[in-house]
Amino acid sequence: IRRKGGGQVNMTPGLVLCHGVFDIVHSGHLEHFRQARNFGTSLVVAIVADKYVRKGEGRPIFNQHQRSEFLAALRMVDEVLIIDSSVAMPALEKLKPSIFCKGPDYANPNHPFAEDFQKEKAFVESYGGRVVLTTGFSSSSTAIIDKAGLRPIPPRNPDPRLRRKWPTIQWLKRI
């Protein structure tokens, strides 16, 4: 694939990238990942590092390590990356996925991150990749968190023996 102007760009065939905070994973996220995985041979989910989350005070509820562990446990997810940015651009530049998937809410031109998304879309299309908006149920982790009045979950003890006794799902059950 060649970029306009003659520069060679190496796109990663079969690689699908999803990006987001994914703080409280809900059925809308699961459907998004299922659909995304069907567009390629490998699904990478890039999550926003804690210090770059722009969702309001007290967010994220789950820290980046808890979120990455939970997502990595999903069968349809092949790899989880924590990126030091609120936008997907660092992951897009490094991985150059053939497909970049965002949720159906990004079809709204008034989406809070519409400007960032347009830049990401232009970059993906510049090297011949495709941007796909998944369809179906759209929900909001923020709305769920606000309605439930949730607060951040304390980090777990890093002792590996305790990790097996208190997986992330146990924290969810305690809420």
Side-chain angles (χ1 to χ4, degrees), residues 16 39 65-66 87 95 141 146 155 167 169:
V16 179
F39 288 115
H65 301 294
Q66 293 166 318
V87 296
L95 300 174
S141 293
D146 290 347
I169 198 70

Side-chain angles (χ1 to χ4, degrees), residues 25-57:
V25 176
H26 51 72
S27 60
H29 289 138
L30 295 177
E31 181 58 24
H32 173 66
F33 296 143
R34 277 190 206 102
Q35 288 181 34
R37 183 67 173 82
N38 287 331
F39 288 115
T41 57
S42 184
L43 175 60
V44 175
V45 178
I47 65 168
V48 176
D50 293 345
K51 66 182 178 180
Y52 295 98
V53 172
R54 303 181 290 180
K55 298 285 188 171
E57 189 176 340

Side-chain angles (χ1 to χ4, degrees), residues 80-125:
V80 176
L81 305 175
I82 299 170
I83 59 171
D84 287 328
S85 176
S86 62
V87 296
M89 197 60 78
L92 292 169
E93 290 171 344
K94 185 164 184 82
L95 300 174
K96 292 188 178 62
S98 54
I99 306 286
F100 178 47
C101 280
K102 293 298 273 186
D105 49 328
Y106 280 82
N108 178 356
N110 297 318
H111 189 282
F113 304 117
E115 188 176 321
D116 294 329
F117 173 63
Q118 289 306 314
K119 291 176 188 171
E120 294 161 348
K121 183 176 188 272
F123 176 75
V124 171
E125 291 172 347

Side-chain angles (χ1 to χ4, degrees), residues 18 33 50 58 63 127 133:
C18 293
F33 296 143
D50 293 345
N63 70 45
Y127 63 78
L133 299 181

